[in-house]
C-alpha cells in the first residue's frame, strides 16, 4: 500500500469539508485514511476544546463516506495540536494508504502505528515509561516494514498526563507520582521522547535522574503530545521504505534555535529535494507538503547571545511566544503559513531548538 498525503485548511472551528472534498474527488477513499495530524485554533491548553471539535468533525466525515464501524474509526490516530499563534493557519495533514504503487525499487514514505501497554500514573517521568514507549516504537517500526532505525524520520506520539484522580489512584497503591499535575504534560512529553530515542538507538537508556533534567539527551525525530484521553502511548511512526510505492518521501533535521531556518531546509533536503546553497521559498516548486516541528523557550533566556524575556512575561505564556516565533520562521521558509508547530519540546531536539520533519512530493 502506498501512502497518499494531503494538507487542507480548516476554515472554521468544526470544519472538515476539505477532507470530504478529497474523498469525493477520488484522491483517496474514506476507508483508506490511517492518520491525521493537525493544528486547531484554540489556546493550546488543557481546556482547548477546539481539538475535540476537530476530532469529532473529521471522524464524522470518515463515518459518512466510509464503511468502517464507529469503533474502528475512533481508533484511527488523530493528533490535534491546539494554538495557531502568530501567522500559523489552522490545518490538517491527512495520511491514507492506497493501492497505488508508484515507482518500484524507490524508497518512499511508509507509516506504522502501535499502542503501548498501559502507562500507570506512577510511570510518568520514570524509567518504566521510557521502556514501555520504546517497546511500542519498535512495534510501530515493524508495522511500517522498516528495519533500519536510520530510515525513521518522524515519530508522533500521544501519551497520558496526570489528573488529580490519577495521583490519588497511585497513592492508593502505595506509590507516588514523579511530578505535579500542572507539570505533567511536559514531563510526559519529555519521558516519551527519551523512549523514542532509546528505541531508535539515538541514546542509551538514561539514568532515572536524567529524565527531564539532562537536556543534552534528546530525539531528533520525536514529536510528543499528551492529554487526558489516553492511558497508553499512541505511536504514529513514519519513515522511508524501499518498494513502499507512492510519490512522497520524508526527512528530518533539527533547528538549533528558534531562528534556525537552515534547519528547515536541511530537513527538506534530507527528504530528497535538491536545493541551492541559500534557498528560499520560491525554490521549493510546490513540492513540500508540510513541515512538522517542536519548539520551546530556551531556559537560558538567550537567543544568539541576546537576552530574551518570554520566560518573564506574566501576560503571555512562553509557549505562545515560542510557537509564534518558530511558526513565522517556518512559514517564511516554505512560503505557507499552514505549518505544524507544537511546543513542550523537552528531550525533543536540542535545548532551545527542536526537531523539524519535512514531507515532499518527489513524483512517481
Amino acid at each position: 500500500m502506498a501512502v497518499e498525503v494531503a494538507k487542507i485548511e480548516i476554515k472554521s472551528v468544526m470544519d472538515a469539508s476539505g477532507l470530504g472534498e478529497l474523498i469525493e474527488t477520488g484522491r483517496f477513499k474514506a476507508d483508506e485514511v490511517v492518520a491525521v495530524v493537525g493544528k486547531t485554533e484554540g489556546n493550546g491548553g488543557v481546556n482547548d476544546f477546539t481539538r475535540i471539535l476537530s476530532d469529532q468533525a473529521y471522524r464524522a466525515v470518515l463515518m459518512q463516506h466510509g464503511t468502517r464501524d464507529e469503533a474502528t474509526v475512533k481508533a484511527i490516530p488523530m493528533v490535534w495540536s491546539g494554538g495557531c499563534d502568530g501567522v500559523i493557519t489552522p490545518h490538517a495533514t491527512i495520511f491514507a494508504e492506497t493501492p497505488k504503487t508508484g515507482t518500484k525499487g524507490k524508497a518512499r514514505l511508509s507509516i506504522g502505528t502501535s499502542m503501548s501497554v498501559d502507562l500507570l500514573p506512577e510511570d510518568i517521568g520514570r524509567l518504566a515509561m521510557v521502556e514501555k514507549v520504546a517497546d511500542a516504537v519498535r512495534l510501530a517500526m515493524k508495522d511500517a516494514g522498516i528495519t533500519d532505525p536510520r530510515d525513521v524520520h518522524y515519530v508522533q506520539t500521544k501519551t497520558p498526563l496526570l489528573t488529580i484522580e490519577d495521583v490519588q489512584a497511585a497513592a492508593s497503591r502505595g506509590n507516588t507520582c514523579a511530578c505535579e499535575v500542572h507539570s505533567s504534560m511536559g514531563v510526559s512529553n519529555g519521558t516519551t521522547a527519551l523512549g523514542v530515542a532509546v528505541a531508535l538507538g539515538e541514546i542509551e537508556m538514561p539514568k532515572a535522574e536524567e529524565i527531564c533534567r539532562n537536556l543534552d539527551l534528546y530525539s531528533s525525530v520525536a514529536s510528543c503530545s499528551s492529554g487526558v484521553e489516553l492511558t497508553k502511548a499512541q505511536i504514529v511512526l513514519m519513515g522511508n521504505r524501499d518498494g513502499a510505492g507512492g510519490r512522497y518521501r520524508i526527512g528530518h533535521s533539527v533547528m538549533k534555535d528558534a531562528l534556525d531556518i537552515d534547519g528547515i531546509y536541511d530537513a527538506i533536503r534530507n527528504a530528497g529535494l535538491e536545493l541551492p546553497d541559500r534557498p528560499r521559498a520560491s525554490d521549493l516548486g510546490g513540492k513540500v507538503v508540510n513541515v512538522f516541528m517542536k519548539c520551546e523557550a530556551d531556559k537560558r533566556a538567550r537567543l544568539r547571545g541576546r537576552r530574551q524575556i518570554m520566560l518573564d512575561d506574566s501576560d503571555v505564556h512562553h509557549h505562545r511566544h515560542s510557537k509564534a516565533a518558530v511558526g513565522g520562521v517556518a512559514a517564511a521558509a516554505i512560503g505557507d503559513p499552514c505549518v505544524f508547530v507544537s511546543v513542550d519540546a523537552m528531550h525533543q531536539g536540542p535545548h532551545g531548538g527542536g526537531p523539524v520533519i519535512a514531507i515532499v512530493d518527489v513524483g512517481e
Side-chain angles (χ1 to χ4, degrees):
M1 300 292 283
V3 176
E4 181 68 27
V5 192
K7 182 170 67 175
I8 52 178
E9 184 176 336
I10 297 175
K11 300 175 183 178
S12 62
V13 177
M14 290 194 68
D15 173 52
S17 60
L19 175 59
E21 291 169 3
L22 289 172
I23 295 169
E24 290 168 357
T25 57
R27 181 78 173 266
F28 46 74
K29 297 177 181 178
D31 290 349
E32 294 172 340
V33 173
V34 294
V36 178
V37 179
K39 291 293 300 181
T40 67
E41 61 198 78
N43 59 24
V46 175
N47 65 338
D48 184 351
F49 302 113
T50 64
R51 295 177 298 208
I52 297 174
L53 295 173
S54 282
D55 193 271
Q56 292 175 341
Y58 273 71
R59 293 187 197 277
V61 169
L62 295 182
M63 288 292 296
Q64 176 187 353
H65 291 275
T67 63
R68 291 181 286 191
D69 61 30
E70 185 175 0
T72 304
V73 170
K74 281 186 175 180
I76 296 170
M78 291 192 185
V79 179
W80 299 102
S81 172
C84 289
D85 304 271
V87 300
I88 298 172
T89 297
H91 70 281
T93 305
I94 315 298
F95 298 89
E97 289 185 332
T98 75
K100 299 174 184 177
T101 56
T103 304
K104 295 182 179 180
K106 300 287 187 179
R108 293 291 187 266
L109 177 62
S110 181
I111 295 180
T113 63
S114 71
M115 293 286 280
S116 75
V117 298
D118 275 334
L119 293 166
L120 300 175
E122 52 265 44
D123 291 339
I124 296 174
R126 295 193 168 119
L127 289 174
M129 185 175 187
V130 176
E131 293 168 348
K132 290 178 179 180
V133 169
D135 287 342
V137 171
R138 296 183 187 106
L139 288 175
M141 274 186 65
K142 185 176 181 180
D143 187 55
I146 296 173
T147 56
D148 189 340
R150 292 174 297 182
D151 292 327
V152 176
H153 296 280
Y154 185 20
V155 183
Q156 178 67 59
T157 69
K158 191 69 177 287
T159 51
L161 45 73
L162 293 178
T163 65
I164 293 297
E165 291 76 17
D166 292 330
V167 176
Q168 293 170 343
S172 72
R173 294 187 288 269
N175 297 320
T176 63
C177 291
C179 61
E180 296 179 355
V181 169
H182 76 274
S183 61
S184 65
M185 180 179 290
V187 172
S188 181
N189 290 353
T191 312
T192 301
L194 291 176
V196 174
V198 167
L200 300 180
E202 296 179 282
I203 63 170
E204 299 294 329
M205 179 64 71
K207 299 176 183 177
E209 60 270 21
E210 291 182 303
I211 297 175
C212 298
R213 292 182 178 86
N214 182 359
L215 300 182
D216 290 331
L217 300 178
Y218 62 82
S219 171
S220 297
V221 300
S223 177
C224 304
S225 178
S226 52
V228 297
E229 64 270 30
L230 290 172
T231 59
K232 307 173 187 285
Q234 176 181 269
I235 312 293
V236 180
L237 180 146
M238 303 185 200
N240 297 314
R241 177 173 60 83
D242 287 343
R247 55 188 300 126
Y248 303 96
R249 280 183 54 86
I250 189 169
H252 79 278
S253 185
V254 295
M255 293 180 72
K256 298 180 179 65
D257 60 33
L259 299 178
D260 186 16
I261 195 170
D262 290 330
I264 299 172
Y265 290 128
D266 286 343
I268 294 170
R269 288 190 185 95
N270 188 243
L273 198 62
E274 293 186 7
L275 296 175
D277 291 339
R278 299 298 302 169
R280 54 193 302 173
S282 57
D283 296 316
L284 304 180
K287 296 295 186 181
V288 174
V289 179
N290 207 359
V291 289
F292 307 81
M293 58 201 67
K294 294 287 290 190
C295 66
E296 67 177 16
D298 194 314
K299 293 178 173 57
R300 295 163 294 199
R302 309 290 291 183
L303 178 57
R304 302 198 179 184
R306 298 294 192 182
R307 174 173 165 261
Q308 298 285 285
I309 56 85
M310 64 180 76
L311 292 170
D312 296 319
D313 193 334
S314 298
D315 297 312
V316 180
H317 195 276
H318 59 84
H319 282 172
R320 308 197 75 163
H321 278 288
S322 57
K323 193 189 305 178
V326 173
V329 173
I334 71 168
D336 183 359
C338 282
V339 289
F340 184 90
V341 182
S342 176
V343 288
D344 249 338
M346 194 183 307
H347 295 308
Q348 298 154 74
H351 183 199
V356 52
I357 295 96
I359 296 177
V360 303
D361 183 345
V362 293
E364 295 292 347

